[in-house]
Each structure stands twice: as structure tokens, then as C-alpha cells.
């Protein structure tokens, strides 16, 4: 074969990854434009059941805009897509805590370990709480200081079934403890996930979250009545692209969220037919579309810098959550540590949310 033909062939092969990367960047831009130009959302804030579990998992995920549904390297990604549990870089224990305004708390403790050559599991607990709530009676007089706590216990399993296809599932046990007069409620939810790697450096993800999760409230002790609070079902399509020999990673995610709400309407009484007012209950569906993006750049072998944005398209730019952070890898003797930090601008809150995570590899 002539020399010029060999050079042309080699040039075409080397340009293929660059062309693929350019196409992926174009797809990300198209996704963002489509989300921001889509139908305006029906809700500006996430007020549905289990909202604390949708804020993010740890500093690494939050710094990347929580767009980790297809991330091939984030160990915490099993919380975003259980199909990624098998890609854990090793056995580790992760501890995270968030410093938040209005006496709110958010903590995560997780353990991950590979199982054989193609599988892995992740288990842990996510806790959220609000303290120092000023309790008042019907006349406005102080009564007591209240607090609330919510927990999500999870167990994720993922396995690579084919060369480029992996699948996984997560069992979640939710617990909500609000006030003493209302019984603690529990619910079981299920996440399902898939990942597909069409070529090296590119990963696509699909996940469905919070199937079957529902709170059943009984508030008769505080003058209320029974109520059903269903978790939103979330369908998420994700993508990740590595560029510059893996030093640069781009992440994008689109989420369609479907939730059902109850609406109660009082029907005035009509004496003497009705001695008291009647309550009519009806349900309606809320559909919401969100976008997420993240970027990671490896400055040094031990240092990553990150940026991202969550809730794109939620009430325009009023409800979005920009974020930034870094990750530092350090060895202390035979102990390998990873320290991650994220600063998140929460919507409708003037203060930053600061998140710190420490990962200890065993």
C-alpha cells in the first residue's frame, strides 16, 4: 500500500475519537437548549415526598451537578445508577456531611465493595433533618422546640452482563419521623438501571428511580386525617464522555419526573340535608423535566476540579443549582484517602451549601 494511503488511514483513525467527542459536545448543547426551551415546569420547588434523597449524595456528585447516571469513575455513582456498582475502584467507606442554612442537616455513610470480576455492591444510609423548629400552639404561644428526621437506607447491586452492557437494582427503605403526635412512616422503593458503553471513553445510562415508594400518613392525633404521599417516579437518561486522554470528562443528564398529588376541596353544607361540610378528594398528575450537566478536569494526578449545574429548566434560571468543587487524593502511610468538597448555590436560598466527603479505601 502506498505510504500516503497509510498516513491517510492513520489520520482518519486518530480523528475518529475527536469527531466523536465533538458530536457528543454538540449533543450536550442540544440537550440543554431543548430542556430550557421546553414546556415551563408546573412546580418551582421539589416539595414531593422524599425530596431530601434527590438533593445529591456526596460532595463529588453535587459538584458535578448530580449528573452521574453514566459516570464511569465516580464511586458514589451507584446511588445515581445501580448499574455502576460494579465499577467501584475498590473497597471503601465514605462519610459525607453538608453545612446548610436554616438548621438543616444532610449526612451520608456508605460502603462499597467489588464482588468478583464483574459485580459490586453499595450499601449505606442517607439522613436529612431540620432542628430548632419553634413550636407554637393555636394562639401563637411557644410550646416546644421541634425537629424532623428522614432516612434512606439503600442496598445497590450491579453486574456487567456483557462486554459493554451492565445492569443493576437498588432497594431503598425510607423512614420519616416528623412530630411525636404523628406515627413514623416507612416505605420501600426500587431503582433499576442500565449502562451501555458503545466505545471506550463513552458511557450511556438509563435509570428509573423510586418505584413503589409511598408514604401513608395518619395525622388524626393533630387534627388531620389519613393521606397518601407518593414519591415521584423519575426516568433519567445520562451520558458521559472522556476527552484529552481522560483528563477531561463531560457529563449530561435529562430527567422526566412524574408525580401524583391529592387535592381536597370543601363542599359547603346544605342544611338540613348535610349536617357538616363534605370533603371531596381528587388526584392529578404533575410532570416535570429537568437537565443536569457536569465537567471534571484533572489538573494533577492527585487533584480534580469540578463544576456543574442541577435543575436546569426548573422555573427558568430561578430554580437551577450551580455548583463547583474539587477532589484530592492522598496517601497516609498504607491508607489511601480521597477528600472531596463542593459548594452548591441552592435555589431560593442566599447561603451556600458546603459539602465535605472523606473516602477511605480499605
Amino acid at each position: 500500500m502506498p505510504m500516503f494511503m497509510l498516513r491517510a488511514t492513520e489520520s482518519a483513525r486518530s480523528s475518529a475519537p475527536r469527531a466523536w467527542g465533538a458530536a457528543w459536545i454538540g449533543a450536550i448543547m442540544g440537550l440543554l437548549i431543548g430542556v430550557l426551551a421546553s414546556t415551563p415546569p408546573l412546580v418551582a420547588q421539589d416539595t414531593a415526598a422524599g425530596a431530601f434523597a434527590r438533593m445529591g449524595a456526596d460532595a463529588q456528585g453535587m459538584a458535578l451537578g448530580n449528573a452521574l447516571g453514566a459516570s464511569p469513575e465516580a464511586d458514589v455513582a451507584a446511588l445515581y445508577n445501580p448499574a455502576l456498582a460494579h465499577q467501584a475502584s475498590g473497597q471503601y467507606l465514605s462519610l459525607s456531611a453538608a453545612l446548610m442554612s436554616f438548621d438543616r442537616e444532610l449526612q451520608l455513610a456508605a460502603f462499597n465493595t467489588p464482588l468478583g470480576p464483574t459485580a459490586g455492591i453499595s450499601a449505606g444510609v442517607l439522613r436529612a433533618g431540620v432542628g430548632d423548629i419553634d413550636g407554637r400552639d393555636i394562639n401563637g404561644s411557644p410550646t416546644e422546640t421541634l425537629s424532623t428526621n428522614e432516612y434512606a437506607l439503600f442496598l445497590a447491586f450491579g453486574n456487567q452482563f456483557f462486554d459493554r452492557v451492565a445492569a443493576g437494582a437498588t432497594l431503598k427503605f425510607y423512614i420519616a419521623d416528623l412530630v411525636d403526635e404523628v406515627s413514623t412512616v416507612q416505605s420501600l422503593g426500587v431503582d433499576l438501571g442500565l449502562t451501555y458503553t458503545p466505545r471506550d471513553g463513552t458511557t450511556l445510562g438509563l435509570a428509573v428511580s423510586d418505584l413503589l415508594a409511598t408514604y401513608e400518613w395518619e395525622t388524626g392525633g393533630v387534627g388531620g386525617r389519613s393521606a397518601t404521599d407518593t414519591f415521584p417516579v423519575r426516568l433519567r437518561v445520562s451520558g458521559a464522555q472522556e476527552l484529552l486522554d481522560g483528563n477531561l470528562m463531560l457529563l449530561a443528564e435529562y430527567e422526566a419526573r412524574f408525580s401524583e398529588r391529592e387535592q381536597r376541596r370543601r363542599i359547603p353544607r346544605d342544611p338540613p340535608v348535610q349536617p357538616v361540610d363534605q370533603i371531596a378528594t381528587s388526584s392529578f398528575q404533575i410532570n416535570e423535566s429537568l437537565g443536569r450537566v457536569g465537567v471534571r478536569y484533572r489538573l494533577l494526578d492527585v487533584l480534580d476540579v469540578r463544576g456543574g449545574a442541577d435543575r436546569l429548566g426548573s422555573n427558568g434560571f430561578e430554580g437551577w443549582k450551580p455548583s463547583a468543587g474539587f477532589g484530592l487524593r492522598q496517601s497516609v502511610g498504607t491508607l489511601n484517602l480521597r477528600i472531596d468538597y463542593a459548594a452548591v448555590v441552592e435555589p431560593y436560598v442566599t447561603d451556600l451549601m458546603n459539602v465535605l466527603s472523606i473516602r477511605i479505601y480499605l
Side-chain angles (χ1 to χ4, degrees), residues 4-353:
F4 75 90
M5 294 183 65
L6 287 174
R7 291 176 178 174
T9 301
E10 293 175 356
S11 177
R13 290 176 178 173
S14 63
S15 64
R18 292 194 297 269
W20 181 263
W24 176 243
I25 294 174
I28 294 176
M29 295 179 63
L31 171 65
L32 288 177
I33 294 173
V35 169
L36 295 177
S38 62
T39 304
L42 299 179
V43 291
Q45 290 179 290
D46 189 354
T47 57
F52 77 100
R54 296 185 288 275
M55 294 181 63
D58 74 344
Q60 184 176 12
M62 291 189 185
L64 292 169
N66 290 319
L68 271 68
S71 174
E73 66 175 28
D75 285 339
V76 75
L79 292 173
Y80 296 89
N81 188 340
L84 297 168
H86 76 285
Q87 294 186 353
S89 57
Q91 190 177 83
Y92 73 85
L93 175 65
S94 178
L95 302 173
S96 302
L99 180 62
M100 309 171 70
S101 58
F102 303 111
D103 299 311
R104 295 173 297 156
E105 300 178 5
L106 185 68
Q107 297 103 21
L108 169 72
F111 174 76
N112 195 308
T113 183
L115 293 177
T118 63
I121 60 171
S122 179
V125 57
L126 180 67
R127 175 196 172 270
V130 182
D132 293 332
I133 302 174
D134 187 16
R136 302 265 175 169
D137 61 19
I138 193 171
N139 297 316
S141 301
T143 56
E144 59 181 322
T145 300
L146 306 174
S147 63
T148 67
N149 292 282
E150 287 191 80
Y151 302 88
L153 288 74
F154 62 90
L155 176 63
F157 172 81
N159 186 55
Q160 185 171 349
F161 291 94
F162 304 100
D163 288 342
R164 297 186 179 274
V165 178
T170 302
L171 292 179
K172 294 180 179 177
F173 184 64
Y174 290 102
I175 303 173
D177 182 14
L178 300 186
V179 295
D180 294 338
E181 293 80 3
V182 177
S183 300
T184 301
V185 295
Q186 304 92 24
S187 180
L188 183 66
V190 178
D191 295 357
L192 302 175
L194 288 170
T195 61
Y196 172 61
T197 306
R199 60 188 302 156
D200 293 343
T202 303
T203 306
L204 304 176
L206 177 66
V208 181
S209 301
D210 290 330
L211 295 170
L212 308 178
T214 301
Y215 282 157
E216 297 286 348
W217 299 98
E218 181 54 59
T219 57
V222 291
R225 53 177 58 88
S226 60
T228 299
D229 209 357
T230 302
F231 285 53
V233 175
R234 299 182 293 146
L235 175 64
R236 293 175 292 116
V237 180
S238 312
Q241 176 66 51
E242 292 181 321
L243 301 170
L244 304 179
D245 296 326
N247 290 321
L248 176 66
M249 175 174 288
L250 303 177
L251 303 165
E253 183 171 291
Y254 171 80
E255 176 179 315
R257 186 178 297 180
F258 311 94
S259 58
E260 183 175 326
R261 302 288 180 87
E262 284 189 353
Q263 184 180 37
R264 295 186 175 184
R265 181 170 56 89
R266 184 178 297 275
I267 303 175
R269 62 182 179 177
D270 185 14
V273 178
Q274 295 177 254
V276 295
D277 292 350
Q278 300 296 310
I279 302 296
T281 302
S282 61
S283 61
F284 61 96
Q285 292 283 338
I286 293 180
N287 301 330
E288 186 179 9
S289 297
L290 302 173
R292 301 183 179 94
V293 293
V295 58
R296 185 271 295 158
Y297 184 72
R298 183 156 295 154
L299 281 178
L300 304 169
D301 289 340
V302 297
L303 178 63
D304 295 343
V305 292
R306 309 179 181 115
D310 194 356
R311 294 177 56 85
L312 293 172
S314 178
N315 199 29
F317 279 98
E318 294 183 7
W320 76 315
K321 293 172 58 176
S323 56
F326 64 86
L328 179 65
R329 292 174 291 276
Q330 181 64 48
S331 296
V332 179
T334 59
L335 194 64
N336 293 324
L337 300 178
R338 180 166 185 162
I339 300 173
D340 297 301
Y341 168 78
V344 183
V345 180
E346 295 187 85
Y348 320 109
V349 177
T350 56
D351 297 330
L352 282 176
M353 176 170 63

